[in-house]
Amino acid sequence: MAHDHTHTENNIKIAFFLNLVFTIIEVVGGLFTNSLAILSDALHDLGDSLSLGLSWYFHRVSHRKRDNAYSYGYKRFSILGAIINSIVLTVGSIYILLEAIPRILNPEAVKADGMILLAVIGILANGAAVFRLAQGSSLNEKVVKLHLMEDVLGWVAVLVASIVMKFWNIPVLDPLLSLGISVYILINVFRNMKEAIRIMLQGIPMNTEIEPIEQEIRNFEEVLNVHDMHLWTLDGEYHVLSLHIVVSKEKRLESLACLKEEIREALKSYHIEHVTIEFEPEGEKCCMQEC
């Protein structure tokens, strides 16, 4: 397990440095070629670098045990990183949109040869990062790999557009491509921000329904009733459930301990890792009944 943790951390670290170095090259190249499409993709890659850097940092932080400051540990710090990243990408994308719209009306010449060179380097750099993460088994690695695969496809689009502009004088392709990239970034930022806010507000995890979970618990013969049931997620992956279960007064502590373990085992199929159960004898008045 420690080896897997180190392997994942090294993969993300290498992908981060590959992406960051190329982002710097991309900014310089975008200014040199006068290509707004490359500058907008540089913004995208800057966001990726920030995501990778935060993923690397929070992958290390998330393994800290709970302490007096954070009783649930440090998993939710990754959501803070996602929100910061989303804000940076939103501001940058709006700036690129404001630059792209006037250029659509008045296209400026770009240096297609430089764009072709940068596109090839972009495909190789991002492709190398994807290859590094290809064998990764952790969810973190898989998500980052998909993000970088999108970058590779974006650079393929830049390469095709730059080749077209090398042979045909269609400079409007550059701001149009920039516009498409910026809109694409904003759509994905909106999706990520929506999920991050849902997690911060302790909403029920995405793609999870609470009714089947409650029914799963009620199916146990010993369970007479269920109430005060709350389901949320720390970081989108680690889910937490708390609930009150009414049982017969005759139930002994030993049998309740077995029931508790059986319920926890049954809830693993719903990816719920942390379950807190309070048992109540039948007839007891609970002030949390309608909470």
Side-chain angles (χ1 to χ4, degrees):
M1 189 63 70
H3 173 73
D4 291 341
H5 167 63
T6 303
H7 188 261
T8 299
E9 186 177 319
N10 287 336
N11 283 344
I12 296 175
K13 178 173 68 174
I14 290 169
F16 163 68
F17 281 115
L18 277 171
N19 211 267
L20 181 61
V21 169
F22 180 67
T23 299
I24 296 169
I25 295 171
E26 200 173 4
V27 170
V28 175
L31 293 172
F32 174 73
T33 59
N34 196 32
S35 171
L36 200 58
I38 288 179
L39 286 174
S40 62
D41 207 85
L43 168 69
H44 190 186
D45 280 346
L46 177 63
D48 288 348
S49 296
L50 184 58
S51 294
L52 286 164
L54 290 172
S55 293
W56 176 26
Y57 171 72
F58 287 122
H59 184 79
R60 302 181 69 180
V61 171
S62 66
H63 285 77
R64 293 182 187 173
K65 302 297 184 183
R66 65 181 185 176
D67 54 26
N68 292 332
Y70 298 97
S71 63
Y72 270 110
Y74 288 77
K75 288 183 178 294
R76 189 162 279 191
F77 272 63
S78 61
I79 305 304
L80 178 62
I83 291 174
I84 293 170
N85 184 32
S86 296
I87 292 171
V88 170
L89 285 174
T90 299
V91 172
S93 295
I94 291 172
Y95 172 77
I96 292 295
L97 284 173
L98 293 175
E99 289 289 318
I101 293 170
R103 278 215 196 181
I104 292 174
L105 302 174
N106 298 290
E108 298 180 12
V110 297
K111 297 178 181 178
D113 289 337
M115 287 180 67
I116 292 172
L117 177 62
L118 281 169
V120 171
I121 297 173
I123 292 169
L124 292 174
N126 286 287
V130 171
F131 179 77
R132 179 73 193 188
L133 295 167
Q135 303 303 318
S137 58
S138 74
L139 182 60
N140 207 359
E141 287 173 295
K142 290 177 181 177
V143 170
V144 170
K145 183 183 73 174
L146 287 173
H147 210 88
L148 291 170
M149 272 300 297
E150 292 170 356
D151 290 348
V152 173
L153 296 175
W155 275 111
V156 169
V158 171
L159 179 61
V160 172
S162 57
I163 290 173
V164 170
M165 286 186 286
K166 178 176 173 60
F167 295 101
W168 292 277
N169 186 26
I170 318 176
V172 74
L173 281 179
D174 182 70
L176 284 174
L177 189 58
S178 169
L179 191 69
I181 293 171
S182 297
V183 170
Y184 168 78
I185 293 171
L186 285 173
I187 290 171
N188 281 279
V189 163
F190 174 76
R191 289 173 180 167
N192 292 336
M193 183 67 88
K194 182 180 177 182
E195 184 174 356
I197 290 173
R198 183 188 180 97
I199 292 170
M200 293 298 283
L201 294 178
Q202 293 187 304
I204 293 172
M206 296 286 282
N207 304 316
T208 303
E209 295 182 10
I210 200 165
E211 289 81 7
I213 297 172
E214 182 175 343
Q215 188 57 50
E216 181 85 32
I217 297 168
R218 289 180 181 274
N219 286 339
F220 283 88
E221 184 181 346
E222 301 92 333
V223 175
L224 301 179
N225 198 3
V226 176
H227 60 265
D228 194 32
M229 186 170 175
H230 302 282
L231 175 64
W232 69 100
T233 181
L234 289 182
D235 59 357
E237 297 176 31
Y238 189 92
H239 302 339
V240 180
L241 176 71
S242 68
L243 72 160
H244 289 199
I245 294 178
V246 178
V247 295
S248 171
K249 289 182 179 180
E250 287 74 28
K251 289 293 177 186
R252 298 178 61 84
L253 191 61
E254 294 84 359
S255 64
L256 292 179
C258 292
L259 174 61
K260 189 188 300 182
E261 288 308 310
E262 289 173 6
I263 291 174
R264 283 179 173 154
E265 190 64 31
L267 294 180
K268 285 182 179 178
S269 62
Y270 295 93
H271 307 290
I272 300 173
E273 290 83 3
H274 190 111
V275 183
T276 301
I277 299 172
E278 180 176 331
F279 289 111
E280 295 173 4
E282 186 179 11
E284 178 182 309
K285 182 173 177 57
C286 177
C287 62
M288 300 290 184
Q289 183 109 20
E290 302 301 327
C291 179

